[in-house]
Amino acid sequence: MTMKGGVASQDFSAAIAAACEPATAVWSKVCVALKRELGDAAFGSWIAPAMLRETTTGDIVLVTSTGIARDWIRRSAWRRIGELWAANDATARRIDLKSRLEFEALAGAYVEAAPKAAVAAEPIEIVLPVSTDAPGVAPTSAKSPRTQGLQERFTFDTFVPGPANEFAHAVARRIANWADGHFNPVLFHGPYGFGKTHLLNALAWEAMRNAPEKRVVYLTAERFLSTFVRAVMDRQTAAFKEELRAADLLIIDDVHFIAGKQSTQEELFHTLTALVEEGRRVVFSADRPPSAMTEMDAHLRSHLSAGLVCGLEPADRSLRLGILERKIHTLSAAHGFEPTMRPDVLQFLADRFTDSVRELEGALNTLSARAGEGLSRMTLDEVQAILRPHLRSGEKRITIDDIQKATADHYGMKQADLLSERRNRAVARPRQAAMWLAKQLTTRSLPDIGRRFGGRDHTTVLHAVRRIEALRAEDNVLSQDLETITRKLRG
């Protein structure tokens, strides 16, 4: 009887333990099954980079880095994720799916509505695990980068420098080497997808490697905010301040996120002031320069401007091609296929995804997941067919008339000139550029494009496309003209 009671007690304890199992443990079980079912390539490209987040209201959200990744998971794996989650979660909690931008907007709404509902990740670890008691310990021997907030794939070795980011890259390298004569603080700014997070992650890893005895703290602004709110609620603000102000290097990503959140801004201002006064180093990133952060407290904005403000520009075509080549080599090394793609496919990707490096990499991930080892053999038509749903849903529809107007405006001429019979170079070159843009930015056929340019034959359009393709590789002015017109057309 006693034995039966003991067994029952054990079973009850096991049931209680299962019911209290944290969401991260459930997600780990789901991932094991997904990796086995989807394979290493698809799982590594789409599922592994996603992060499970839990809000203090109990909502559980799977957060993807891009909208393309979210759409792929929703289309190809979400039903199976729901089944596996239900099978492993004894408490039947609901799981939602959002992109990073969606989740950040949700986090802001929670915080503004009520501080107690601030969004937090799994148990928050503020300080990177660089042990001051054991100098020389490599950062890779510590906790999972997901817990830290760092990602192992974002290093200087995988960062592709180019004219758009070479100054920012040089500054980050100098900080990571703990060089003297630094500016303090340093703020890197640029829109989402320009490489800021990659650069800050690389800086953190390199700084730890170069000086393992120093204390490095990397936080997203979202995590800074949620940790601060939790510290206030738990009456642990003194411990929170001590953790941050003991840092030799404090790195905060997306600092614009806390604009308008008064108490959090005040805490960051005092932390920044204390660190700078003690000669410790502070690095931020933001989506715009301090002068444009009109919602941010004036004192904090002034201090952000006091050091070095370093902008990251949009990646030009050569840099986008370099990023694609590096990404292809990374994928091929991980999955064992030939590290090449057809030149016309690479050029299409570099020309189509001009606004964000993340979107560019996401498009390549989509192709890799679909084609696997056949990536190097994919034709341009196959690539366009696979990516067409993403392009249609995410981009403004551009017409040939739009292209003609934008091109004429850029070159200071009339739209009618592009349709005329005039053949002097001042008209012919812009006309060829407009035809090339029509081929790149619309789905119109060559004959249709020709008809819309004054009834020209499709061979004329083909000659124009090939001519511009050849010229822009050696003519920087033409290449810049095409970039400018494309950006204007895409708004």
Side-chain angles (χ1 to χ4, degrees):
M1 190 75 178
T2 305
M3 269 177 61
K4 288 183 181 179
V7 172
S9 176
Q10 291 175 3
D11 290 343
F12 180 74
S13 298
I16 291 294
C20 296
E21 192 171 28
T24 49
V26 177
W27 177 242
S28 295
K29 295 177 181 178
V30 172
C31 285
V32 170
L34 286 174
K35 188 173 184 179
R36 184 172 58 248
E37 294 176 11
L38 296 174
D40 290 343
F43 180 85
S45 296
W46 300 107
I47 307 297
M51 297 179 66
L52 195 72
R53 296 296 189 87
E54 184 173 358
T55 72
T56 54
T57 58
D59 296 325
I60 298 170
V61 185
L62 183 63
V63 181
T64 63
S65 57
T66 66
I68 289 179
R70 174 204 59 206
D71 292 343
W72 186 92
I73 291 175
R74 180 170 288 133
R75 183 175 60 253
S76 306
W78 191 238
R79 177 179 295 180
R80 183 55 178 156
I81 287 173
E83 293 170 351
L84 292 169
W85 182 270
N88 286 281
D89 184 23
T91 57
R93 288 167 289 191
R94 179 178 176 274
I95 183 172
D96 198 3
L97 175 67
K98 294 187 182 296
S99 68
R100 178 187 173 190
L101 290 179
E102 290 173 331
F103 185 76
E104 287 176 348
L106 176 67
Y110 276 135
V111 173
E112 289 301 315
K116 66 180 181 179
V119 177
E122 59 268 19
I124 290 177
E125 300 286 341
I126 301 176
V127 182
L128 293 180
V130 183
S131 172
T132 54
D133 300 323
V137 176
T140 52
S141 66
K143 292 184 179 180
S144 162
R146 176 175 295 182
T147 305
Q148 303 163 2
L150 284 177
Q151 299 185 56
E152 288 182 332
R153 64 194 179 97
F154 287 159
T155 67
F156 282 127
D157 288 339
T158 59
F159 188 86
V160 182
N165 60 28
E166 58 187 356
F167 178 62
H169 176 254
V171 170
R173 281 279 196 183
R174 185 170 179 80
I175 297 169
N177 289 330
W178 302 92
D180 293 330
H182 62 280
F183 296 96
N184 207 16
V186 173
L187 185 140
F188 299 102
H189 71 86
Y192 285 111
F194 276 34
K196 303 185 303 298
T197 296
H198 190 150
L199 199 62
L200 264 57
N201 274 251
L203 193 165
W205 289 123
E206 189 75 6
M208 288 189 292
R209 187 160 35 249
N210 288 331
E213 74 283 0
K214 291 187 180 291
R215 193 178 185 88
V216 179
V217 176
Y218 173 93
L219 289 168
T220 63
E222 172 199 334
R223 179 164 289 199
F224 178 92
L225 186 152
S226 59
T227 309
F228 173 65
V229 170
R230 183 182 298 176
V232 171
M233 292 170 60
D234 296 341
R235 299 182 180 179
Q236 296 291 322
T237 52
F240 173 80
K241 293 176 182 180
E242 185 178 348
E243 288 281 4
L244 290 184
R245 297 180 192 186
D248 295 291
L249 171 61
L250 173 64
I251 304 170
I252 297 184
D253 198 5
D254 290 338
V255 70
H256 57 272
F257 180 80
I258 68 170
K261 300 170 177 65
Q262 191 59 38
S263 58
T264 308
Q265 289 181 107
E266 291 175 3
E267 180 56 38
L268 180 58
F269 170 76
H270 293 304
T271 298
L272 170 60
T273 303
L275 289 172
V276 171
E277 287 178 352
E278 294 179 11
R280 301 172 188 267
R281 308 185 182 199
V282 187
V283 178
F284 299 103
S285 77
D287 64 354
R288 53 195 182 276
S291 59
M293 298 182 199
T294 55
E295 295 181 0
M296 185 167 283
D297 177 79
H299 289 89
L300 178 56
R301 191 167 68 241
S302 175
H303 275 62
L304 293 177
S305 304
L308 175 63
V309 178
C310 184
L312 280 78
E313 300 297 327
D316 60 18
R317 186 171 187 266
S318 62
L319 180 54
R320 293 195 297 272
L321 286 170
I323 291 168
L324 283 170
E325 290 171 0
R326 177 67 62 84
K327 179 72 175 177
I328 290 168
H329 276 83
T330 301
L331 289 171
S332 66
H335 307 303
F337 57 76
E338 187 179 355
T340 58
M341 285 188 78
R342 293 166 61 107
D344 57 340
V345 171
L346 285 174
Q347 290 164 7
F348 167 77
L349 294 174
D351 292 332
R352 194 74 190 212
F353 296 91
T354 60
D355 294 331
S356 167
V357 172
R358 286 201 190 108
E359 290 181 359
L360 183 65
E361 292 183 335
L364 186 59
N365 285 336
T366 299
L367 298 176
S368 175
R370 290 286 293 271
E373 295 181 0
L375 186 65
S376 62
R377 299 187 297 274
M378 293 190 76
T379 66
L380 181 57
D381 288 342
E382 291 171 335
V383 167
Q384 290 175 328
I386 291 172
L387 296 180
R388 188 170 291 121
H390 303 294
L391 296 173
R392 281 179 177 172
S393 62
E395 289 193 346
K396 168 189 172 184
R397 182 175 177 271
I398 298 171
T399 66
I400 292 179
D401 186 61
D402 293 332
I403 292 170
Q404 291 172 348
K405 289 177 180 176
T407 304
D409 180 65
H410 181 80
Y411 286 105
M413 57 198 309
K414 297 178 181 178
Q415 183 178 354
D417 293 334
L418 299 176
L419 312 182
S420 70
E421 295 298 324
R422 295 170 59 190
R423 296 185 179 182
N424 58 308
R425 180 168 176 170
V427 175
R429 187 56 48 78
R431 181 188 296 129
Q432 290 177 331
M435 289 179 176
W436 181 88
L437 289 166
K439 179 66 172 68
Q440 298 297 318
L441 303 179
T442 76
T443 57
R444 298 292 183 181
S445 65
L446 295 181
D448 196 8
I449 294 172
R451 282 193 296 271
R452 292 167 184 265
F453 277 85
R456 286 174 166 81
D457 188 81
H458 77 279
T459 56
T460 303
V461 180
L462 181 59
H463 170 75
V465 170
R466 288 175 175 173
R467 181 61 177 158
I468 294 298
E469 199 64 49
L471 284 174
R472 69 180 186 144
E474 57 192 41
D475 188 337
N476 289 332
V477 174
L478 175 61
S479 181
Q480 284 292 105
D481 287 344
L482 295 171
E483 291 266 354
T484 302
I485 297 169
T486 299
R487 290 187 183 283
K488 182 177 180 180
L489 287 165
R490 288 179 173 163

